[in-house]
Amino acid sequence: MARQISTALSDLLLCIVAFYVSYKWYHANRMKAAVGISIQATAAFLGIFRFAMSNPEGGIIYKSHKFMSWLAAGAGVPLIAMDFCARYESAMLANKIAIFLLAVVVVAAFLPPKTQEVATQAASGFSMLVILILCFIHKNYLGLGAGVTYVVAGLVFSSEGSILGLPKVDWLHYALIMGNYLFLRSI
């Protein structure tokens, strides 16, 4: 894989925004959400270097970025959802997310890669569904917009290829930036 400077740039912007959101959530005492978005920021930080390299495959940066990206989806999104549950006093849903999160993280080490991916998508998808439902019930339109942005970004931009000459992964990063800003304003 050749250098992807546009992707390194989109990761840089995602990293900055995600760390900013984490900082704001930390000071608002939204600790689970701050940790969740920090995982995404760390993945983006590693992505800056991965995509700026001319041949990253197999190296420590490549492996670290892949792991942190997996962790951002499998643990980061559920942690954000748990803070939505706390905001709307839904301990039952928060407990279900916590159990799902723990199960995915613990058993993922023993699963084949394809099954790992499905388990991660299930944890992330369930968490996003909880966010969407809670935001809909409580008329939190910014949270609803953030959730929809994340879902659409994951469905449309998660595969290989390009749109308007820009790699889909860049579009994914820009959509996550927008979703993160909406999430910041919503809890």
Side-chain angles (χ1 to χ4, degrees):
M1 176 173 77
R3 279 192 185 121
Q4 292 179 251
I5 300 302
S6 68
T7 305
L9 176 63
S10 66
D11 258 327
L12 172 65
L13 296 173
L14 177 58
C15 179
I16 291 167
V17 170
F19 272 127
Y20 175 75
V21 171
S22 176
Y23 171 81
K24 295 300 254 182
W25 279 344
Y26 173 79
H27 287 289
N29 204 28
R30 296 280 177 207
M31 296 306 166
K32 290 179 192 77
V35 170
I37 202 78
S38 291
I39 295 169
Q40 184 187 93
T42 304
F45 179 75
L46 291 166
I48 297 166
F49 298 102
R50 173 189 173 189
F51 291 107
M53 296 170 73
S54 57
N55 192 15
E57 283 83 11
I60 187 75
I61 297 290
Y62 176 83
K63 290 176 183 175
S64 298
H65 176 253
K66 294 290 274 182
F67 173 75
M68 290 306 293
S69 296
W70 169 79
L71 196 60
V77 174
L79 286 168
I80 294 168
M82 288 172 72
D83 249 329
F84 271 91
C85 292
R87 177 181 180 188
Y88 296 120
E89 299 174 353
S90 183
M92 179 192 68
L93 281 173
N95 289 337
K96 288 185 186 335
I97 292 170
I99 291 167
F100 205 178
L101 167 63
L102 185 62
V104 167
V105 171
V106 169
V107 301
F110 307 105
L111 297 174
K114 218 40 171 166
T115 310
Q116 265 184 0
E117 187 178 322
V118 170
T120 303
Q121 288 173 348
S124 182
F126 175 68
S127 299
M128 198 52 67
L129 181 63
V130 167
I131 291 171
L132 290 169
I133 290 169
L134 288 172
C135 288
F136 180 78
I137 289 170
H138 296 280
K139 295 181 172 68
N140 180 343
Y141 300 116
L142 292 173
L144 202 56
V148 168
T149 300
Y150 261 59
V151 170
V152 170
L155 293 173
V156 175
F157 303 126
S158 64
S159 62
E160 298 291 320
S162 64
I163 297 174
L164 300 174
L166 213 58
K168 284 186 176 182
V169 68
D170 293 5
W171 289 106
L172 173 68
H173 293 159
Y174 294 128
L176 292 176
I177 289 168
M178 186 171 66
N180 288 345
Y181 179 75
L182 292 170
F183 270 142
L184 172 64
R185 311 296 297 162
S186 67
I187 54 175

